[in-house]
Amino acid sequence: MPSLETELDRARELSVDDLADAIESIGFECTRCGACCTSHGEDEHTATVFPDEVRELQAASAAGDGADATGSDTAEPDTTAEARDWRDVARPMPYGLTEGEDGPEGETFEWALQTGGCGDCAFYAEDDDGVGACTAHDDRPLICQTYPFSVALDGTSQPMGEAVDEAGVVRAHECEGLGRDISREDAEALAAALKERAVRELEEAIDVRDAYAPADTGAGEVVVHDSEGAKRPDGTRLSN
Ligand code: SF4
């Protein structure tokens, strides 16, 4: 298996033009079905979010992002709202945790977008007509900006759904928006975000690997190792 450093070099050398060609050849238009923002059966919505993206979403919540639940930019920013807590935005990625008597425990290596009571992303909301949208659309993380695509490099994450199509290094995952026409401009914007995500994921993975020191987790304790160090589920540093 190639090293993370080798894959990072490959990610940095990806041509946005080539990625855009691949995305154009597959085709995509979001149908606003909400499938990538909601739970599936027993499975809670699970999407990786980087630590700086968590802070952006916290701050965005404080300022309001100007988007209403329909995704249109008509709502006035709520300047009176307080910043969300870390836990309102992110939760420890459940993979690798075990179920103890007091709930999940152990060490994990990523943050996932927080979910609401029904397992949907905490930022997903439906209007009175049942049309869903992201309430943090302008500040949504890279994984959301690039759904349903990923790049086929070791160490990068795959979005929800099986991989169903592949064009060069670009993979497309199950999504009803696939196969629809996409403009060159939109394909290039998506390609640029896809490259940025691949680079960021590999940089994160390398930093986590290099900074990792086993944490002494007791019963009911969870530690998240991200690129900034070991943290508690509320986002505070373990060494504080
Ligand atoms: S942040 Fe927005 S786009 Fe991303 S999963 Fe949540 S609701 Fe969907």
Side-chain angles (χ1 to χ4, degrees), residues 165-217:
D165 202 350
E166 191 152 347
V169 75
V170 174
R171 277 189 192 140
H173 298 253
E174 276 172 14
C175 173
E176 69 170 36
L178 289 175
R180 295 167 181 251
D181 286 345
I182 184 169
S183 70
R184 183 68 194 180
E185 191 183 355
D186 287 350
E188 285 177 358
L190 221 160
L194 193 57
K195 176 176 178 176
E196 183 185 352
R197 189 183 117 210
V199 170
R200 287 292 317 277
E201 285 176 344
L202 284 155
E203 288 175 343
E204 278 278 322
I206 289 169
D207 287 348
V208 170
R209 180 200 64 195
D210 292 348
Y212 177 71
D216 191 13
T217 51

Side-chain angles (χ1 to χ4, degrees), residues 50-66:
F50 300 132
D52 61 302
E53 292 180 324
V54 176
R55 286 190 288 272
E56 277 169 32
L57 283 165
Q58 285 181 277
S61 306
D65 67 359

